[in-house]
Amino acid sequence: MDNCLFCKILKNEIPAKKIYEDDVVFGFVDIYPQAKTHLLFIHKSHTANINEMANDPKAIGEVFQAIQKYTRSESMEQEGFRVVTNLGPLAGQTVFHTHFHVLAGEKLGRFGS
Ligand code: 5GP
Ligand code: ZN
């Protein structure tokens, strides 16, 4: 996708602080952190949002396996973390390459405000 910010990050056209990579998944630090730890995990194949990605359940599994691998390697399970994905304007989606926020490192607020 030529005009996609996260595809540009995947192509190294825009720098990002990489924290995870395998053949199909990329993880990096969010540029405007909303928690002490704020990471983004994306699949290397472009989809616009989670409902589009749902046509490719293997890809969803691959992203969640990457999150599992990373959070276990960083011993994040005991303290805990939150995985969030936004779709559309009400949820505040601003980048239209499906991404999973991983929020951690501090007590997180409740949803919906
Ligand atoms: P959304 O609002 O679409 O759910 O999430 C998009 C996220 O991408 C936001 O949390 C925003 O801070 C992050 N973001 C936007 N532009 C960049 C960028 O150039 N680099 C990185 N690392 N994160 C970005
Ligand atoms: Zn993309």
Side-chain angles (χ1 to χ4, degrees):
M1 272 287 178
D2 286 350
N3 235 353
C4 170
L5 178 68
F6 288 172
C7 284
K8 286 181 181 167
I9 285 177
L10 289 173
K11 286 185 273 182
N12 258 319
E13 291 172 10
I14 292 174
K17 196 170 168 194
K18 176 169 91 174
I19 50 99
Y20 178 90
E21 184 167 19
D22 63 32
D23 287 352
V24 289
V25 178
F26 191 76
F28 55 106
V29 177
D30 196 293
I31 203 167
Y32 303 118
Q34 304 205 25
K36 199 166 167 197
T37 301
H38 188 169
L39 310 171
L40 298 170
F41 282 79
I42 61 176
H43 201 274
K44 290 182 179 179
S45 63
H46 177 96
T47 55
N49 59 51
I50 186 60
N51 272 7
E52 195 177 311
M53 194 179 193
N55 293 326
D56 186 0
K58 182 165 176 270
I60 296 179
E62 286 165 345
V63 174
F64 276 86
Q65 281 174 349
I67 291 171
Q68 179 202 61
K69 199 169 170 184
Y70 179 82
T71 54
R72 285 187 174 163
S73 74
E74 295 296 313
S75 303
M76 291 167 65
E77 279 183 310
Q78 193 167 356
E79 276 197 347
F81 59 90
R82 178 177 294 163
V83 182
V84 175
T85 190
N86 294 315
L87 184 156
L90 286 181
Q93 184 180 8
T94 57
V95 177
F96 295 89
H97 181 128
T98 313
H99 51 280
F100 299 86
H101 301 260
V102 173
L103 302 154
E106 63 182 301
K107 181 74 180 155
L108 301 167
R110 300 303 299 171
F111 301 108
S113 50

PDB file of all heavy atoms in Angstrom, residues 69-98:
ATOM      1  N   LYS A  69       4.811 -14.245  22.245  1.00  0.00           N
ATOM      2  CA  LYS A  69       6.263 -14.483  22.312  1.00  0.00           C
ATOM      3  C   LYS A  69       6.964 -13.287  22.964  1.00  0.00           C
ATOM      4  O   LYS A  69       7.791 -13.439  23.864  1.00  0.00           O
ATOM      5  CB  LYS A  69       6.779 -14.688  20.879  1.00  0.00           C
ATOM      6  CG  LYS A  69       8.109 -15.357  20.759  1.00  0.00           C
ATOM      7  CD  LYS A  69       8.326 -15.727  19.295  1.00  0.00           C
ATOM      8  CE  LYS A  69       9.746 -16.192  19.053  1.00  0.00           C
ATOM      9  NZ  LYS A  69       9.988 -16.460  17.627  1.00  0.00           N
ATOM     10  N   TYR A  70       6.609 -12.098  22.515  1.00  0.00           N
ATOM     11  CA  TYR A  70       7.262 -10.887  23.039  1.00  0.00           C
ATOM     12  C   TYR A  70       6.947 -10.681  24.521  1.00  0.00           C
ATOM     13  O   TYR A  70       7.840 -10.459  25.337  1.00  0.00           O
ATOM     14  CB  TYR A  70       6.834  -9.648  22.237  1.00  0.00           C
ATOM     15  CG  TYR A  70       7.491  -8.406  22.779  1.00  0.00           C
ATOM     16  CD1 TYR A  70       8.794  -8.072  22.414  1.00  0.00           C
ATOM     17  CD2 TYR A  70       6.831  -7.590  23.700  1.00  0.00           C
ATOM     18  CE1 TYR A  70       9.417  -6.956  22.953  1.00  0.00           C
ATOM     19  CE2 TYR A  70       7.449  -6.474  24.241  1.00  0.00           C
ATOM     20  CZ  TYR A  70       8.737  -6.168  23.857  1.00  0.00           C
ATOM     21  OH  TYR A  70       9.357  -5.067  24.398  1.00  0.00           O
ATOM     22  N   THR A  71       5.666 -10.754  24.878  1.00  0.00           N
ATOM     23  CA  THR A  71       5.289 -10.457  26.270  1.00  0.00           C
ATOM     24  C   THR A  71       5.842 -11.517  27.224  1.00  0.00           C
ATOM     25  O   THR A  71       6.154 -11.210  28.369  1.00  0.00           O
ATOM     26  CB  THR A  71       3.758 -10.332  26.429  1.00  0.00           C
ATOM     27  OG1 THR A  71       3.113 -11.498  25.921  1.00  0.00           O
ATOM     28  CG2 THR A  71       3.241  -9.100  25.709  1.00  0.00           C
ATOM     29  N   ARG A  72       5.982 -12.747  26.736  1.00  0.00           N
ATOM     30  CA  ARG A  72       6.610 -13.760  27.586  1.00  0.00           C
ATOM     31  C   ARG A  72       8.101 -13.508  27.711  1.00  0.00           C
ATOM     32  O   ARG A  72       8.670 -13.627  28.804  1.00  0.00           O
ATOM     33  CB  ARG A  72       6.334 -15.171  27.036  1.00  0.00           C
ATOM     34  CG  ARG A  72       4.904 -15.575  27.323  1.00  0.00           C
ATOM     35  CD  ARG A  72       4.631 -17.018  26.962  1.00  0.00           C
ATOM     36  NE  ARG A  72       3.285 -17.380  27.401  1.00  0.00           N
ATOM     37  CZ  ARG A  72       2.618 -18.434  26.974  1.00  0.00           C
ATOM     38  NH1 ARG A  72       3.162 -19.261  26.095  1.00  0.00           N
ATOM     39  NH2 ARG A  72       1.413 -18.679  27.437  1.00  0.00           N
ATOM     40  N   SER A  73       8.734 -13.136  26.619  1.00  0.00           N
ATOM     41  CA  SER A  73      10.187 -12.900  26.673  1.00  0.00           C
ATOM     42  C   SER A  73      10.517 -11.711  27.568  1.00  0.00           C
ATOM     43  O   SER A  73      11.591 -11.640  28.165  1.00  0.00           O
ATOM     44  CB  SER A  73      10.768 -12.693  25.271  1.00  0.00           C
ATOM     45  OG  SER A  73      10.405 -11.423  24.781  1.00  0.00           O
ATOM     46  N   GLU A  74       9.564 -10.776  27.685  1.00  0.00           N
ATOM     47  CA  GLU A  74       9.769  -9.598  28.534  1.00  0.00           C
ATOM     48  C   GLU A  74       9.121  -9.764  29.910  1.00  0.00           C
ATOM     49  O   GLU A  74       9.030  -8.793  30.672  1.00  0.00           O
ATOM     50  CB  GLU A  74       9.183  -8.352  27.848  1.00  0.00           C
ATOM     51  CG  GLU A  74       9.889  -7.967  26.552  1.00  0.00           C
ATOM     52  CD  GLU A  74      11.341  -7.559  26.766  1.00  0.00           C
ATOM     53  OE1 GLU A  74      11.613  -6.767  27.686  1.00  0.00           O
ATOM     54  OE2 GLU A  74      12.211  -8.048  26.012  1.00  0.00           O
ATOM     55  N   SER A  75       8.660 -10.981  30.213  1.00  0.00           N
ATOM     56  CA  SER A  75       8.014 -11.292  31.500  1.00  0.00           C
ATOM     57  C   SER A  75       6.900 -10.294  31.842  1.00  0.00           C
ATOM     58  O   SER A  75       6.816  -9.791  32.962  1.00  0.00           O
ATOM     59  CB  SER A  75       9.052 -11.300  32.628  1.00  0.00           C
ATOM     60  OG  SER A  75      10.075 -12.217  32.333  1.00  0.00           O
ATOM     61  N   MET A  76       6.053 -10.020  30.876  1.00  0.00           N
ATOM     62  CA  MET A  76       4.992  -9.031  31.082  1.00  0.00           C
ATOM     63  C   MET A  76       3.679  -9.657  31.553  1.00  0.00           C
ATOM     64  O   MET A  76       2.737  -8.935  31.911  1.00  0.00           O
ATOM     65  CB  MET A  76       4.729  -8.252  29.774  1.00  0.00           C
ATOM     66  CG  MET A  76       5.873  -7.324  29.393  1.00  0.00           C
ATOM     67  SD  MET A  76       5.738  -6.694  27.708  1.00  0.00           S
ATOM     68  CE  MET A  76       4.245  -5.700  27.802  1.00  0.00           C
ATOM     69  N   GLU A  77       3.591 -10.979  31.557  1.00  0.00           N
ATOM     70  CA  GLU A  77       2.306 -11.605  31.847  1.00  0.00           C
ATOM     71  C   GLU A  77       1.871 -11.397  33.294  1.00  0.00           C
ATOM     72  O   GLU A  77       0.692 -11.216  33.565  1.00  0.00           O
ATOM     73  CB  GLU A  77       2.348 -13.096  31.531  1.00  0.00           C
ATOM     74  CG  GLU A  77       2.159 -13.381  30.053  1.00  0.00           C
ATOM     75  CD  GLU A  77       2.135 -14.866  29.762  1.00  0.00           C
ATOM     76  OE1 GLU A  77       3.047 -15.571  30.232  1.00  0.00           O
ATOM     77  OE2 GLU A  77       1.224 -15.307  29.066  1.00  0.00           O
ATOM     78  N   GLN A  78       2.815 -11.449  34.220  1.00  0.00           N
ATOM     79  CA  GLN A  78       2.433 -11.362  35.628  1.00  0.00           C
ATOM     80  C   GLN A  78       1.875  -9.978  35.974  1.00  0.00           C
ATOM     81  O   GLN A  78       0.819  -9.847  36.596  1.00  0.00           O
ATOM     82  CB  GLN A  78       3.602 -11.725  36.541  1.00  0.00           C
ATOM     83  CG  GLN A  78       3.132 -11.938  37.975  1.00  0.00           C
ATOM     84  CD  GLN A  78       4.170 -12.600  38.855  1.00  0.00           C
ATOM     85  OE1 GLN A  78       5.251 -12.984  38.400  1.00  0.00           O
ATOM     86  NE2 GLN A  78       3.859 -12.745  40.122  1.00  0.00           N
ATOM     87  N   GLU A  79       2.577  -8.938  35.536  1.00  0.00           N
ATOM     88  CA  GLU A  79       2.066  -7.577  35.790  1.00  0.00           C
ATOM     89  C   GLU A  79       0.809  -7.308  34.978  1.00  0.00           C
ATOM     90  O   GLU A  79      -0.082  -6.598  35.414  1.00  0.00           O
ATOM     91  CB  GLU A  79       3.135  -6.541  35.406  1.00  0.00           C
ATOM     92  CG  GLU A  79       4.144  -6.299  36.495  1.00  0.00           C
ATOM     93  CD  GLU A  79       4.910  -4.997  36.257  1.00  0.00           C
ATOM     94  OE1 GLU A  79       4.833  -4.414  35.153  1.00  0.00           O
ATOM     95  OE2 GLU A  79       5.599  -4.584  37.189  1.00  0.00           O
ATOM     96  N   GLY A  80       0.797  -7.840  33.774  1.00  0.00           N
ATOM     97  CA  GLY A  80      -0.361  -7.694  32.906  1.00  0.00           C
ATOM     98  C   GLY A  80      -0.185  -6.647  31.828  1.00  0.00           C
ATOM     99  O   GLY A  80       0.706  -5.786  31.893  1.00  0.00           O
ATOM    100  N   PHE A  81      -1.038  -6.747  30.829  1.00  0.00           N
ATOM    101  CA  PHE A  81      -1.015  -5.789  29.715  1.00  0.00           C
ATOM    102  C   PHE A  81      -2.381  -5.819  29.038  1.00  0.00           C
ATOM    103  O   PHE A  81      -3.204  -6.691  29.296  1.00  0.00           O
ATOM    104  CB  PHE A  81       0.107  -6.122  28.723  1.00  0.00           C
ATOM    105  CG  PHE A  81       0.010  -7.488  28.106  1.00  0.00           C
ATOM    106  CD1 PHE A  81      -0.681  -7.690  26.920  1.00  0.00           C
ATOM    107  CD2 PHE A  81       0.619  -8.588  28.708  1.00  0.00           C
ATOM    108  CE1 PHE A  81      -0.772  -8.944  26.344  1.00  0.00           C
ATOM    109  CE2 PHE A  81       0.538  -9.854  28.146  1.00  0.00           C
ATOM    110  CZ  PHE A  81      -0.167 -10.032  26.964  1.00  0.00           C
ATOM    111  N   ARG A  82      -2.612  -4.846  28.184  1.00  0.00           N
ATOM    112  CA  ARG A  82      -3.882  -4.750  27.456  1.00  0.00           C
ATOM    113  C   ARG A  82      -3.584  -4.705  25.963  1.00  0.00           C
ATOM    114  O   ARG A  82      -2.649  -4.024  25.536  1.00  0.00           O
ATOM    115  CB  ARG A  82      -4.622  -3.484  27.874  1.00  0.00           C
ATOM    116  CG  ARG A  82      -5.945  -3.264  27.137  1.00  0.00           C
ATOM    117  CD  ARG A  82      -6.669  -2.028  27.662  1.00  0.00           C
ATOM    118  NE  ARG A  82      -7.089  -2.223  29.052  1.00  0.00           N
ATOM    119  CZ  ARG A  82      -7.442  -1.228  29.862  1.00  0.00           C
ATOM    120  NH1 ARG A  82      -7.412   0.024  29.443  1.00  0.00           N
ATOM    121  NH2 ARG A  82      -7.815  -1.489  31.100  1.00  0.00           N
ATOM    122  N   VAL A  83      -4.404  -5.436  25.178  1.00  0.00           N
ATOM    123  CA  VAL A  83      -4.298  -5.381  23.708  1.00  0.00           C
ATOM    124  C   VAL A  83      -5.563  -4.707  23.186  1.00  0.00           C
ATOM    125  O   VAL A  83      -6.675  -5.111  23.539  1.00  0.00           O
ATOM    126  CB  VAL A  83      -4.165  -6.787  23.095  1.00  0.00           C
ATOM    127  CG1 VAL A  83      -3.999  -6.689  21.579  1.00  0.00           C
ATOM    128  CG2 VAL A  83      -2.986  -7.534  23.714  1.00  0.00           C
ATOM    129  N   VAL A  84      -5.381  -3.678  22.351  1.00  0.00           N
ATOM    130  CA  VAL A  84      -6.509  -2.893  21.829  1.00  0.00           C
ATOM    131  C   VAL A  84      -6.342  -2.711  20.325  1.00  0.00           C
ATOM    132  O   VAL A  84      -5.225  -2.479  19.848  1.00  0.00           O
ATOM    133  CB  VAL A  84      -6.534  -1.477  22.471  1.00  0.00           C
ATOM    134  CG1 VAL A  84      -7.635  -0.616  21.845  1.00  0.00           C
ATOM    135  CG2 VAL A  84      -6.721  -1.557  23.976  1.00  0.00           C
ATOM    136  N   THR A  85      -7.463  -2.809  19.602  1.00  0.00           N
ATOM    137  CA  THR A  85      -7.433  -2.396  18.200  1.00  0.00           C
ATOM    138  C   THR A  85      -8.647  -1.516  17.924  1.00  0.00           C
ATOM    139  O   THR A  85      -9.744  -1.797  18.424  1.00  0.00           O
ATOM    140  CB  THR A  85      -7.360  -3.616  17.253  1.00  0.00           C
ATOM    141  OG1 THR A  85      -7.100  -3.157  15.925  1.00  0.00           O
ATOM    142  CG2 THR A  85      -8.635  -4.451  17.263  1.00  0.00           C
ATOM    143  N   ASN A  86      -8.457  -0.434  17.220  1.00  0.00           N
ATOM    144  CA  ASN A  86      -9.525   0.525  16.932  1.00  0.00           C
ATOM    145  C   ASN A  86      -9.988   0.380  15.489  1.00  0.00           C
ATOM    146  O   ASN A  86      -9.172   0.164  14.591  1.00  0.00           O
ATOM    147  CB  ASN A  86      -9.019   1.961  17.150  1.00  0.00           C
ATOM    148  CG  ASN A  86      -8.699   2.244  18.603  1.00  0.00           C
ATOM    149  OD1 ASN A  86      -9.463   1.891  19.492  1.00  0.00           O
ATOM    150  ND2 ASN A  86      -7.561   2.869  18.857  1.00  0.00           N
ATOM    151  N   LEU A  87     -11.304   0.517  15.290  1.00  0.00           N
ATOM    152  CA  LEU A  87     -11.861   0.510  13.935  1.00  0.00           C
ATOM    153  C   LEU A  87     -12.758   1.732  13.780  1.00  0.00           C
ATOM    154  O   LEU A  87     -13.747   1.866  14.506  1.00  0.00           O
ATOM    155  CB  LEU A  87     -12.643  -0.790  13.690  1.00  0.00           C
ATOM    156  CG  LEU A  87     -13.215  -1.010  12.274  1.00  0.00           C
ATOM    157  CD1 LEU A  87     -13.435  -2.490  11.987  1.00  0.00           C
ATOM    158  CD2 LEU A  87     -14.516  -0.245  12.050  1.00  0.00           C
ATOM    159  N   GLY A  88     -12.370   2.619  12.870  1.00  0.00           N
ATOM    160  CA  GLY A  88     -13.256   3.714  12.502  1.00  0.00           C
ATOM    161  C   GLY A  88     -13.231   4.903  13.441  1.00  0.00           C
ATOM    162  O   GLY A  88     -12.546   4.920  14.459  1.00  0.00           O
ATOM    163  N   PRO A  89     -14.026   5.944  13.061  1.00  0.00           N
ATOM    164  CA  PRO A  89     -13.954   7.241  13.740  1.00  0.00           C
ATOM    165  C   PRO A  89     -14.365   7.240  15.205  1.00  0.00           C
ATOM    166  O   PRO A  89     -13.717   7.904  16.023  1.00  0.00           O
ATOM    167  CB  PRO A  89     -14.886   8.141  12.908  1.00  0.00           C
ATOM    168  CG  PRO A  89     -15.603   7.272  11.968  1.00  0.00           C
ATOM    169  CD  PRO A  89     -14.870   5.976  11.844  1.00  0.00           C
ATOM    170  N   LEU A  90     -15.402   6.513  15.575  1.00  0.00           N
ATOM    171  CA  LEU A  90     -15.822   6.554  16.981  1.00  0.00           C
ATOM    172  C   LEU A  90     -14.753   5.975  17.895  1.00  0.00           C
ATOM    173  O   LEU A  90     -14.590   6.416  19.041  1.00  0.00           O
ATOM    174  CB  LEU A  90     -17.150   5.797  17.197  1.00  0.00           C
ATOM    175  CG  LEU A  90     -18.420   6.484  16.692  1.00  0.00           C
ATOM    176  CD1 LEU A  90     -19.647   5.626  16.990  1.00  0.00           C
ATOM    177  CD2 LEU A  90     -18.595   7.867  17.326  1.00  0.00           C
ATOM    178  N   ALA A  91     -14.024   5.011  17.392  1.00  0.00           N
ATOM    179  CA  ALA A  91     -12.953   4.405  18.194  1.00  0.00           C
ATOM    180  C   ALA A  91     -11.650   5.190  18.075  1.00  0.00           C
ATOM    181  O   ALA A  91     -10.695   4.929  18.798  1.00  0.00           O
ATOM    182  CB  ALA A  91     -12.734   2.955  17.765  1.00  0.00           C
ATOM    183  N   GLY A  92     -11.627   6.159  17.142  1.00  0.00           N
ATOM    184  CA  GLY A  92     -10.438   7.004  17.007  1.00  0.00           C
ATOM    185  C   GLY A  92      -9.328   6.392  16.181  1.00  0.00           C
ATOM    186  O   GLY A  92      -8.157   6.723  16.354  1.00  0.00           O
ATOM    187  N   GLN A  93      -9.689   5.508  15.230  1.00  0.00           N
ATOM    188  CA  GLN A  93      -8.638   4.944  14.367  1.00  0.00           C
ATOM    189  C   GLN A  93      -8.055   6.046  13.480  1.00  0.00           C
ATOM    190  O   GLN A  93      -8.797   6.785  12.822  1.00  0.00           O
ATOM    191  CB  GLN A  93      -9.207   3.822  13.488  1.00  0.00           C
ATOM    192  CG  GLN A  93      -8.121   3.150  12.650  1.00  0.00           C
ATOM    193  CD  GLN A  93      -8.664   2.024  11.749  1.00  0.00           C
ATOM    194  OE1 GLN A  93      -9.868   1.827  11.639  1.00  0.00           O
ATOM    195  NE2 GLN A  93      -7.744   1.314  11.122  1.00  0.00           N
ATOM    196  N   THR A  94      -6.739   6.161  13.503  1.00  0.00           N
ATOM    197  CA  THR A  94      -6.072   7.199  12.710  1.00  0.00           C
ATOM    198  C   THR A  94      -5.130   6.622  11.662  1.00  0.00           C
ATOM    199  O   THR A  94      -4.760   7.323  10.720  1.00  0.00           O
ATOM    200  CB  THR A  94      -5.264   8.151  13.616  1.00  0.00           C
ATOM    201  OG1 THR A  94      -4.317   7.385  14.363  1.00  0.00           O
ATOM    202  CG2 THR A  94      -6.167   8.921  14.563  1.00  0.00           C
ATOM    203  N   VAL A  95      -4.715   5.382  11.833  1.00  0.00           N
ATOM    204  CA  VAL A  95      -3.828   4.742  10.845  1.00  0.00           C
ATOM    205  C   VAL A  95      -4.562   3.512  10.313  1.00  0.00           C
ATOM    206  O   VAL A  95      -4.983   2.646  11.092  1.00  0.00           O
ATOM    207  CB  VAL A  95      -2.477   4.342  11.466  1.00  0.00           C
ATOM    208  CG1 VAL A  95      -1.619   3.630  10.431  1.00  0.00           C
ATOM    209  CG2 VAL A  95      -1.741   5.570  12.012  1.00  0.00           C
ATOM    210  N   PHE A  96      -4.693   3.459   8.979  1.00  0.00           N
ATOM    211  CA  PHE A  96      -5.567   2.447   8.387  1.00  0.00           C
ATOM    212  C   PHE A  96      -4.772   1.257   7.855  1.00  0.00           C
ATOM    213  O   PHE A  96      -4.962   0.811   6.721  1.00  0.00           O
ATOM    214  CB  PHE A  96      -6.488   3.121   7.354  1.00  0.00           C
ATOM    215  CG  PHE A  96      -7.410   4.096   8.069  1.00  0.00           C
ATOM    216  CD1 PHE A  96      -7.030   5.430   8.270  1.00  0.00           C
ATOM    217  CD2 PHE A  96      -8.595   3.656   8.632  1.00  0.00           C
ATOM    218  CE1 PHE A  96      -7.839   6.299   8.985  1.00  0.00           C
ATOM    219  CE2 PHE A  96      -9.419   4.528   9.356  1.00  0.00           C
ATOM    220  CZ  PHE A  96      -9.038   5.845   9.533  1.00  0.00           C
ATOM    221  N   HIS A  97      -3.875   0.796   8.711  1.00  0.00           N
ATOM    222  CA  HIS A  97      -3.201  -0.504   8.572  1.00  0.00           C
ATOM    223  C   HIS A  97      -3.444  -1.172   9.927  1.00  0.00           C
ATOM    224  O   HIS A  97      -2.998  -0.641  10.961  1.00  0.00           O
ATOM    225  CB  HIS A  97      -1.707  -0.298   8.296  1.00  0.00           C
ATOM    226  CG  HIS A  97      -0.915  -1.563   8.122  1.00  0.00           C
ATOM    227  ND1 HIS A  97      -0.099  -1.786   7.021  1.00  0.00           N
ATOM    228  CD2 HIS A  97      -0.790  -2.659   8.907  1.00  0.00           C
ATOM    229  CE1 HIS A  97       0.478  -2.973   7.148  1.00  0.00           C
ATOM    230  NE2 HIS A  97       0.090  -3.522   8.287  1.00  0.00           N
ATOM    231  N   THR A  98      -4.149  -2.291   9.917  1.00  0.00           N
ATOM    232  CA  THR A  98      -4.554  -2.930  11.185  1.00  0.00           C
ATOM    233  C   THR A  98      -3.382  -3.032  12.144  1.00  0.00           C
ATOM    234  O   THR A  98      -2.300  -3.514  11.777  1.00  0.00           O
ATOM    235  CB  THR A  98      -5.084  -4.356  10.920  1.00  0.00           C
ATOM    236  OG1 THR A  98      -5.988  -4.311   9.834  1.00  0.00           O
ATOM    237  CG2 THR A  98      -5.772  -4.909  12.171  1.00  0.00           C
TER     238      THR A  98
END
